[in-house]
Amino acid sequence: SIDVDGTMNVQGAATFQSRTVLEIDTFADGDTTPDVRLSTIFKTANTGATTITGFDNGTEGQIIYVILQDNNTDFTNGTNLVLFRGLDFTSGATNDICSFICLDGTKWLMLARQDNS
């Protein structure tokens, strides 16, 4: 058994003989640039109209998944978010999922968006 409370760097091959389960974190209500440093999977919980324009504390190569748990969250294409076809994402509904990859620590490229409504 190994507990790691920080960064673990593995050089070379690594074999894991169990499943990986990631905890789901929740973005703060109304946060337009949520912090993504401590998780991979996030859900929204916005009680009013909220437009996400980027993500704070990203790492180059980091992939995140955002599960919409409200009908109030939009994403704006721009400097920090590069969205599908350069269009704002304003039609998301509860249970839709967006995924992003961080290009350089601040710029996030949309990998996919999934309509589950």
Side-chain angles (χ1 to χ4, degrees):
S1 170
I2 298 174
D3 289 331
V4 178
D5 293 329
T7 301
M8 181 175 82
N9 294 311
V10 177
Q11 307 247 333
T15 301
F16 301 93
Q17 295 182 356
S18 69
R19 63 185 177 175
T20 301
V21 178
L22 302 172
E23 293 181 18
I24 298 176
D25 199 357
T26 302
F27 291 152
D29 186 11
D31 192 347
T32 60
T33 57
D35 189 322
V36 296
R37 117 185 73 187
L38 298 178
S39 195
T40 299
I41 304 170
F42 301 90
K43 63 183 177 180
T44 64
N46 292 308
T47 58
T50 302
T51 301
I52 294 177
T53 58
F55 301 104
D56 290 336
N57 299 305
T59 301
E60 184 176 330
Q62 179 181 5
I63 295 175
I64 62 169
Y65 303 88
V66 180
I67 304 167
L68 300 182
Q69 288 298 280
D70 59 69
N71 292 320
N72 301 313
T73 303
D74 294 331
F75 298 87
T76 296
N77 186 73
T79 303
N80 295 323
L81 287 185
V82 179
L83 304 181
F84 179 69
R85 293 189 176 155
L87 301 172
D88 294 345
F89 182 40
T90 58
S91 59
T94 299
N95 296 323
D96 288 353
I97 302 169
C98 297
S99 59
F100 300 87
I101 186 168
C102 187
L103 180 64
D104 60 6
T106 58
K107 183 179 279 189
W108 292 85
L109 309 176
M110 180 176 267
L111 290 170
R113 59 182 173 203
Q114 181 174 324
D115 183 349
N116 293 318
S117 54

